[in-house]
Amino acid sequence: MRTELQDYSHKRLNILTGEWVLVSPHRSKRPWQGQNEKISKEERPSHDENCFLCAGNERINGERNPDYKDVFVFTNDFAALQKESKDFKLDDGLFQAQSETGICKVICFSPDHSKSLADMEVNEINKVVKVWQKEYLKLGAIDTIKYVQIFENKGSVMGCSNPHPHGQIWSHSTLSNEVLKKDKQQKNYYINNNRSLLVDYLAQEIKAEERIIYQNKDFIVLTPFWAIWPFETMIVPKKKQSDITHMSSNETVAFADAISAITRAYDKLFQCSFPYSSGIHQAPTDGKTNEHWQWHMSFYPPLLRSATVKKFMVGYEMFGTPQRDITAELASRKLKDLI
């Protein structure tokens, strides 16, 4: 690694979005030199009679959850997108709007209220991965659905309103802002090089050996060169795959292993149940070949120096460009040491 990247302020390009991030390593040569608060792990029962997501409990809409034993999926009782909605478009000068429909689902990872992905065994996480594949196929087969977004908000600091281990799947009739950026960048690279952008990037990362945190036979966990969040990471398949349905049975287990490795490392970092928002970006379900796509899963954790110190995107970052102090190389080294 060139020493300038560790000593002087500079910009790094996010090749997936075409946007820049400002890095200021001189502001924090030892990014975890502040006090690392030790906080007790929140003790939760394996079943909470007041939880709307626990097996056998009644949800707010009056429906009762089945006595599920592993993974449970249902349509969100408070969906952000409506399945049936009036089709309309507003084209009035600078007033532009159009209807958006979709289907939103909740996926409970486990019936055990006390767990998170970091507490689950690889075989349990693999069951979640299998359901992700099934829902991507099922929702993507609907004519009006052009994209299926799988994500998880973990922890109250990330706006999670229920501590039960769960994620969400929002499928909608158009491509979201972030997906449009990544679609454009990957397509342009594929047209110009006849190769996958992320596959080539991964090859360069393997050669550099500076930001790789963990790897198994099929997947690599790394801190992206352009990471914005202090301990941001990304899981990328070593093989070219446009979406998660291309994974074999062995590969889903390897993917589950990669998820287990990074989430467990996160929990060790500041000795707490580490909050984050994670999401899978993959090929749209718009009927096109989308050969330029390489799917990947990103983790955006907000913690900076300890379990009680959060990174905020404010000030310059709201009005200018995202900025970070700890470099991607230092962050990846810290996480790698915990695996």
Side-chain angles (χ1 to χ4, degrees):
M1 170 57 63
R2 295 180 57 172
T3 57
E4 295 98 319
L5 296 179
Q6 305 302 316
D7 296 330
Y8 300 99
S9 59
H10 60 279
K11 296 193 301 181
R12 298 192 186 192
L13 177 65
N14 183 334
I15 59 172
L16 283 172
T17 65
E19 298 172 340
W20 295 85
V21 56
L22 174 64
V23 185
S24 310
H26 59 287
R27 298 210 318 173
S28 185
K29 298 300 291 183
R30 290 175 57 85
W32 44 85
Q33 63 190 5
Q35 182 177 350
N36 290 340
E37 304 288 346
K38 280 194 175 184
I39 60 173
S40 60
K41 183 177 179 181
E42 181 186 2
E43 296 292 337
R44 301 199 307 270
S46 59
H47 185 276
D48 184 346
E49 61 182 12
N50 297 312
C51 172
F52 294 123
L53 301 182
C54 277
N57 286 4
E58 185 176 298
R59 298 204 304 276
I60 193 67
N61 67 349
E63 293 186 25
R64 188 168 294 277
N65 298 327
D67 187 22
Y68 63 95
K69 302 302 180 183
D70 39 56
V71 185
F72 171 50
V73 181
F74 63 93
T75 301
N76 198 322
D77 299 325
F78 298 96
L81 293 164
Q82 297 169 302
K83 183 178 180 180
E84 305 294 338
S85 181
K86 181 180 179 181
D87 186 19
F88 66 89
K89 186 175 183 179
L90 174 65
D91 187 2
D92 182 12
L94 298 180
F95 298 151
Q96 301 288 320
Q98 66 182 67
S99 56
E100 178 78 6
T101 59
I103 301 170
C104 298
K105 293 190 175 184
V106 175
I107 172 171
C108 296
F109 300 151
S110 167
D112 193 330
H113 184 80
S114 67
K115 289 185 175 181
S116 69
L117 287 175
D119 304 311
M120 294 167 60
E121 299 298 328
V122 170
N123 68 301
E124 294 177 309
I125 299 175
N126 187 45
K127 292 179 181 179
V128 176
V129 174
K130 292 287 191 180
V131 173
W132 283 341
Q133 289 181 311
K134 180 180 178 181
E135 290 296 325
Y136 174 83
L137 281 173
K138 181 179 178 181
L139 293 167
I142 300 173
D143 289 340
T144 56
I145 298 300
K146 305 304 179 187
Y147 193 78
V148 179
Q149 180 62 65
I150 298 167
F151 66 98
E152 177 195 3
N153 294 320
K154 181 191 174 190
S156 58
V157 72
M158 300 308 295
C160 183
S161 59
N162 190 316
H164 193 100
H166 74 285
Q168 298 186 56
I169 304 174
W170 289 16
S171 56
H172 37 103
S173 54
T174 63
L175 274 58
S176 61
N177 293 342
E178 291 302 302
V179 175
L180 281 171
K181 295 174 192 174
K182 291 188 175 184
D183 184 68
K184 178 182 178 181
Q185 291 294 110
Q186 291 184 91
K187 182 180 292 184
N188 287 343
Y189 189 89
Y190 190 82
I191 290 173
N192 292 328
N193 301 279
N194 198 32
R195 296 193 308 273
S196 164
L197 173 64
L198 271 185
V199 170
D200 281 4
Y201 167 70
L202 207 60
Q204 192 169 341
E205 284 286 16
I206 292 172
K207 184 177 180 180
E209 294 185 325
E210 292 169 333
R211 286 165 294 275
I212 293 177
I213 299 167
Y214 176 78
Q215 63 177 306
N216 55 34
K217 181 175 176 292
D218 300 301
F219 289 89
I220 282 183
V221 184
L222 53 79
T223 300
F225 179 75
W226 55 83
I228 292 177
W229 295 96
F231 293 97
E232 177 180 333
T233 59
M234 182 167 64
I235 301 176
V236 190
K238 293 180 178 180
K239 188 166 63 177
K240 174 70 176 69
Q241 295 177 336
S242 59
D243 63 67
I244 61 174
T245 65
H246 292 284
M247 282 188 288
S248 66
S249 295
N250 289 337
E251 288 170 335
T252 63
V253 174
F255 181 36
D257 171 66
I259 293 173
S260 176
I262 189 56
T263 54
R264 288 174 186 266
Y266 276 152
D267 280 10
K268 292 177 184 178
L269 184 61
F270 296 133
Q271 300 177 32
C272 68
S273 184
F274 207 76
Y276 59 73
S277 281
S278 66
I280 297 174
H281 275 153
Q282 55 190 321
T285 56
D286 53 7
K288 300 177 182 179
T289 57
N290 292 311
E291 293 178 340
H292 54 286
W293 264 91
Q294 173 77 337
W295 76 268
H296 51 282
M297 183 177 191
S298 298
F299 290 81
Y300 301 150
L303 298 186
L304 179 60
R305 294 181 184 274
S306 74
T308 58
V309 178
K310 178 188 174 184
K311 161 74 175 178
F312 290 94
M313 291 292 182
V314 295
Y316 179 81
E317 289 147 327
M318 295 179 72
F319 296 99
T321 300
Q323 181 271 337
R324 63 181 289 134
D325 295 345
I326 175 176
T327 64
E329 295 72 40
L330 289 176
S332 62
R333 193 179 311 157
K334 184 71 173 176
L335 288 169
K336 184 177 181 179
D337 290 342
L338 296 171
I339 296 180

